[in-house]
Amino acid sequence: MRSSIYKSIPLAAITFLSLSCNKQLIEEPHSGLIPQYFNTAQGFQSGLDAAYAGNRSIWGTENFMTMTVPGTDEFKSGGGGNNDFNIYSSSFDASSGWVSGIWNACYTYINNCNGIIDNGPVVTGLDAATVKQKVAEAKFLRANYYFILVRFWGPVTLNTHFITEPGTSATRAPIADVYNFIIQDLKDAIEALPPSPVQNGVLPGKATAAAASHLLAKVYLTRAYSGAKQSDDFQNAYSTAKDLIDKSGSLGLGLLPDFASVYAEGNEASKEILWSVQHTTNLTYNNNSSELNFHYVMGYENFPGLVRSMAYGRPFARVELTRWMSDTCFADKTNDTRYYKTFQSVWLSNSADKIPKVNGVPKYALGDTAIFMPGVDVSDGEINSTRYLLVPPRKYTLQLYPTMLKYQDTKRASINDPSVRPVIAYRLAETYLLAAEAAFNIGDNASAAKYINVVRERAAYPTGNVAAMSITPADVTLDYILDERARELAGEQTRWLDLVRTKKLLERVRLHNADAGVNIQEKHMLRPIPQSQIDRTITGEKYPQNTGY
């Protein structure tokens, strides 16, 4: 892995949460960093570094994982999960730290981006081409932050310029204005960014035109389902995604032959990755390490023959796959190799002391199978006859279920440490699925099937029947597209947003997640505005809460 392109640089006097400040924040700043620092070459770069590093406060945090993964058809609450949030209980409300954590981070780093963009015309010590590219990077990052906000909360405050002093009033802009702003930022960024993340020495995590194009296609697609829909949104989503796919070869981009390689440790800068969020082993700068390596790990250490290990991870057990995911979505585990490459099936004994004995004789040896989860049903007779713990899906519990492998980190410093692996945010396989969804919505099922088949045929490698993985245009429905996104993107922090975008959240949660389905309501199509935001808006009109909260 090449070195990270950014470090987290606190800019105390120039990073303001302008729309959510209280009286205690109206103070004289005592930092040596002042807004005019942006006008210098060093300050300009420091501001951009901080805008990049702000993504660590989102991608990899428990806040964002909790906001996007559980409470869907893919994942439910595990034994260590937050049940209030994950099952939409009545105690999940505007005081939740999950929502304020994401809200505050987005606005903090939007202001960093605004500082770069506003000061581009006056910064000294940098040539015009360098300034143009850095401004484009800031616009890409700002678009990402606003896209998170508008999807979680709908109408949000639109800060378009750098805020140098805290404020105590704020209003919410219509989602049409927010989307227009995002789209213009991305169009501007595409024109000035390096074309590819894997050419010309572009460092991992750097904004590129390819990443911005992928995001633009997703923004068009998302707006097309919303009340701000423009008549050409689906067509624009399709054209933008198709254009990126068509020129991916010339950009050095492409799908990896083996799905398992996409999330292999150390391979986070492959030709399939469009944009990732970097982390660093230097804890001075790594203000928010990724905890994704904890959240999907089941409580294996509580069972015979096993103790906590570097290889198997620290078992936070925040989320557990649903039976729909294990049994129906991945019904074909023969031709589709993604299930066994996504979820762990075997745990080998790593503790001789914990191996169970029969008449004083160990049932198996150190290094033998301790737990096997075949992913399909087996008889009670088979379960009772095995020396190890044989666990079919009907026997899963809150602490005993397949661990998702995509974020495992065996290179971390110690057994209980968070991960310093880059977090993959956008990859080319999703571009194909965006193109397919957009094509379906403009009535072009043939193109939709073509793009889905590229992803599915890769999933057959190396032992599956490719022909059996191919679908026809008649097979394409919105539900099928969502099923395919689940198989390809399981646990990749998109699912809640996918279901909200397509207006399928309530339907599919009620069908496939019994824990959350009994509580979910129409209001849960948006997250609550943080109560801290409402409380700190003390001038002018009260800050509106989303309906139902």
Side-chain angles (χ1 to χ4, degrees), residues 348-359:
L348 303 179
S349 174
N350 60 10
S351 172
D353 292 341
K354 290 188 65 178
I355 295 174
K357 297 178 180 180
V358 178
N359 297 323

Side-chain angles (χ1 to χ4, degrees), residues 522-541:
E522 187 68 31
K523 70 176 183 178
H524 295 124
M525 292 285 285
L526 291 173
R527 300 307 196 185
I529 299 292
Q531 189 61 44
S532 56
Q533 167 62 49
I534 293 171
D535 292 343
R536 290 182 289 193
T537 306
I538 58 176
T539 304
E541 295 183 4

Side-chain angles (χ1 to χ4, degrees), residues 2 196-202 208 251-253 269-273:
R2 287 173 283 175
S196 170
V198 296
Q199 292 177 340
N200 303 316
V202 173
T208 64
L251 296 173
L253 300 169
S270 76
K271 66 178 183 177
E272 185 164 332
I273 307 308

Side-chain angles (χ1 to χ4, degrees), residues 332-337 456-471:
D332 183 356
K333 297 181 176 67
T334 302
N335 298 307
D336 191 337
T337 68
R456 286 184 58 77
E457 288 167 10
R458 190 265 294 271
Y461 178 88
T463 57
N465 185 320
V466 173
M469 288 293 286
S470 299
I471 65 169

